[in-house]
Amino acid sequence: MSTIGKTLNQFIIESQRAFPDASGDLSGLLNDIGVACKQIAHLVTRSGISGLGGYAETHNVQGEPQKQLDILSHDIFVQQLGWTGHLAAMISEEIEDVISIPTRYPRGQYLLAFDPLDGSSNLDVNVSVGSIFSILRCPDSTTQPGMKAFLQPGTAQVCAGFTVYGPATVLVLTLGNGVHGFTLDRDVGEFILTHPNLRIPQQTAEFAINMSNQRHWDSPVEKYIGECLAGADGVREKNFNLRWVASMVAEVYRILMRGGVFLYPIDERIRQQGGRLRLLYEANPMSFIVEQAGGLSSTGEQRILELMPTELHQRVPVILGSSAEVARLIRYHQKPE
Ligand code: F6P
């Protein structure tokens, strides 16, 4: 009998046993992701000591400056997952095109979309960062998966997760059957199931939004936040609390722990580009997790998981979290003042 609790590996294998025809590919892939995240956790913790916390002299596909750890974390994902035979292709926030599996390795049946180090602008201030991932099935007829293979709605995700590198490193996972959190036990080098069956409270009095963008917002968001700020003196008749970490993994983790609503809505500044956050490796996996934990996720106008992607690095507005608050925001979008 183990005295340390259920490991990620044990959880994955037990989940696989519910599907007697499963090939074991997904289990192997999840195990590989766990190993990649442990390596990144190690790098993040040591970045101050190793001098790797700073900027590289490069920019990612969206023109954002890259941190050295963005590039290293991307490399860890590609190296760790490219050779084991579970993936047919990958896409990363850091690279414009689809990443093919080298022909010397066997090719698997899954596609992986990932953001290797979300919130990395927070590294130098020692605030939580994380890795986000989404797993899709590779369409049967595709022999050389390119962009089109990845253009599947979020409802097609087989699995989604993220790892937050905070005071503790925690990997959060859904296989479409609830959401489970695993804390890294550094002494034994294993992720241990510490947060089974996470549920987001329906009601909340906490919201997260970058208030400095207020003057650019559309009226539904302006109205909603205005009412939160009015607190007990306004129509909501209760006081709200504002939190903004500027690291989506940390915000979603907080919402999973105690409820809340997170908004990166469309605004005048970013209307042209469709939003701020990326659909395939940020909004979709987080929406899958939030919905599986009983929350809601929307652009304000549409359920995020039902959007049909048209580009690999497409951006979307994101409103997610406690269902009562997201439902209210959807109502405000349906009937703008
Ligand atoms: O990629 C995105 C990200 O770092 C998210 O983790 C975070 O929510 C957002 O950007 C912060 O954006 P801003 O700096 O515009 O508030």
Side-chain angles (χ1 to χ4, degrees):
M1 263 302 263
S2 165
T3 52
I4 58 165
K6 188 177 284 193
T7 64
L8 175 62
N9 204 21
Q10 187 182 346
F11 175 88
I12 294 167
I13 290 170
E14 284 176 6
S15 306
Q16 184 193 323
R17 287 192 183 140
F19 301 91
D21 295 335
S23 65
D25 250 4
L26 183 61
S27 301
L29 174 56
L30 287 172
N31 201 37
D32 296 345
I33 291 173
V35 175
C37 290
K38 283 189 240 178
Q39 292 182 14
I40 297 171
H42 176 72
L43 277 184
V44 167
T45 306
R46 293 189 53 81
S47 61
I49 299 164
S50 59
L52 289 172
Y55 281 96
E57 283 168 6
T58 47
H59 290 79
N60 69 11
V61 51
Q62 12 256 314
E64 297 160 347
Q66 288 174 309
K67 290 274 174 99
Q68 294 174 76
L69 277 189
D70 285 321
I71 300 170
L72 286 170
S73 306
H74 164 89
D75 290 348
I76 286 174
F77 261 87
V78 172
Q79 281 160 18
Q80 192 61 46
L81 304 172
W83 66 277
T84 51
H86 306 305
L87 283 178
M90 302 177 233
I91 59 166
S92 161
E93 190 200 10
E94 304 303 328
I95 296 276
E96 178 145 21
D97 297 319
V98 171
I99 304 160
S100 305
I101 303 300
T103 48
R104 62 184 181 282
Y105 300 132
R107 254 200 31 212
Q109 52 178 320
Y110 292 104
L111 302 171
L112 181 77
F114 65 97
D115 178 353
L117 205 57
D118 180 65
S120 58
S121 62
N122 280 319
L123 276 171
D124 40 2
V125 290
N126 201 22
V127 166
S128 298
V129 292
S131 305
I132 311 175
F133 59 91
S134 159
I135 300 175
L136 295 163
R137 229 176 275 284
C138 186
D140 283 345
S141 53
T142 315
T143 48
Q144 279 301 328
M147 175 174 98
K148 253 181 77 188
F150 283 88
L151 301 183
Q152 305 183 36
T155 47
Q157 291 173 103
V158 175
C159 169
F162 68 88
T163 302
V164 58
Y165 310 111
T169 289
V170 184
L171 188 152
V172 173
L173 189 71
T174 185
L175 288 152
N177 188 14
V179 178
H180 311 283
F182 302 81
T183 303
L184 180 60
D185 182 333
R186 289 186 189 250
D187 291 338
V188 293
E190 292 282 359
F191 281 105
I192 307 298
L193 180 62
T194 45
H195 298 78
N197 297 311
L198 287 166
R199 300 299 295 168
I200 299 174
Q202 276 188 339
Q203 311 285 341
T204 182
E206 204 159 72
F207 65 98
I209 192 166
N210 185 340
M211 285 295 299
S212 68
N213 298 329
Q214 180 168 19
R215 68 187 188 285
H216 307 292
W217 294 338
D218 284 351
S219 59
V221 171
E222 182 74 52
K223 173 177 162 161
Y224 175 81
I225 300 294
E227 289 176 359
C228 293
L229 293 175
D233 302 332
V235 293
R236 300 300 305 270
E237 296 177 344
K238 67 174 180 178
N239 291 323
F240 280 77
N241 202 0
L242 165 66
R243 287 284 178 272
W244 184 249
V245 187
S247 182
M248 193 191 195
V249 285
E251 323 276 7
V252 174
Y253 190 72
R254 184 186 61 248
I255 289 171
L256 285 166
M257 290 301 125
R258 64 180 194 211
V261 60
F262 166 90
L263 301 95
Y264 214 119
I266 197 71
D267 70 40
E268 211 40 60
R269 238 172 7 129
I270 53 176
R271 198 175 306 282
Q272 210 64 30
Q273 62 192 45
R276 167 79 166 85
L277 301 174
R278 275 53 60 108
L279 176 60
L280 291 183
Y281 41 81
E282 290 180 321
N284 267 347
M286 291 310 202
S287 300
F288 190 19
I289 290 166
V290 165
E291 286 198 6
Q292 281 293 316
L296 286 177
S297 177
S298 170
T299 62
E301 277 154 12
Q302 258 180 295
R303 183 181 173 216
I304 289 184
L305 290 180
E306 287 175 2
L307 294 175
M308 193 61 210
T310 53
E311 287 170 42
L312 289 185
H313 300 283
Q314 182 173 341
R315 296 175 189 255
V316 285
V318 175
I319 298 173
L320 57 76
S322 292
S323 58
E325 294 304 308
V326 179
R328 177 182 284 265
L329 273 150
I330 294 171
R331 281 202 308 279
Y332 289 5
H333 280 80
Q334 284 162 348
K335 283 193 193 158
E337 301 219 315

